[in-house]
Amino acid sequence: MAHESEKVIIVEGLTDKKQINKVITDDVTIICTNGTLGVERFDELLETYHLDYKDVFIFVDEDRSGWKLRKQLARELPHAEHIYVSSEYREVATTPEHILAAALLNKRIAVNPMFLL
């Protein structure tokens, strides 16, 4: 049986996932939504990743599509915690690694200390 992480970060795209993977050292599952979620796709994610029973973090871009997705996920996963990227950077993928590391560490997600300098 494969090991399942107790922490899940939901992001919009693959570039967001890659940027976060660069800085974290914690055992975290990162799910890409590729934009908005339909009911069937969300139900599939809920079941596959057992989202009702995990520490879920929503980390999406500070733009119209990100706000829409954040609102939808907040409604469906009221226990999820939100991680925000500064509107100065707008996108998770373009946020400097040290800023991402600080935001993730603030939510109790272990990061490589070299990104905190």
Side-chain angles (χ1 to χ4, degrees):
M1 182 171 161
H3 168 75
E4 275 191 39
S5 171
E6 290 302 310
K7 295 178 184 175
V8 175
I9 300 174
I10 300 175
V11 298
E12 289 178 83
L14 191 56
T15 55
D16 300 329
K17 180 178 181 174
K18 286 179 181 177
Q19 186 73 342
I20 292 169
N21 268 327
K22 280 186 203 175
V23 301
I24 63 172
T25 58
D26 215 337
D27 182 18
V28 177
T29 300
I30 302 175
I31 301 171
C32 298
T33 64
N34 301 310
T36 56
L37 286 173
V39 174
E40 285 180 23
R41 173 79 171 122
F42 177 78
D43 287 345
E44 177 187 315
L45 291 176
L46 192 64
E47 212 171 286
T48 302
Y49 295 100
H50 311 285
L51 297 178
D52 283 333
Y53 309 102
K54 304 278 177 94
D55 293 330
V56 179
F57 302 89
I58 300 168
F59 200 3
V60 296
D61 296 343
E62 282 298 312
D63 59 15
R64 188 177 305 250
S65 63
W67 299 327
K68 183 177 177 184
L69 181 58
R70 186 181 297 278
K71 189 175 179 180
Q72 177 188 9
L73 290 169
R75 210 175 27 249
E76 301 291 342
L77 298 166
H79 71 287
E81 293 187 54
H82 296 265
I83 306 173
Y84 295 92
V85 67
S86 169
S87 56
E88 173 185 355
Y89 306 113
R90 287 185 51 96
E91 298 177 5
V92 173
T94 58
T95 299
E97 288 142 348
H98 70 281
I99 303 289
L100 282 180
L104 291 161
L105 189 61
N106 191 41
K107 294 296 183 177
R108 304 164 317 282
I109 296 171
V111 299
N112 185 327
M114 76 177 231
F115 293 110
L116 297 173
L117 305 175

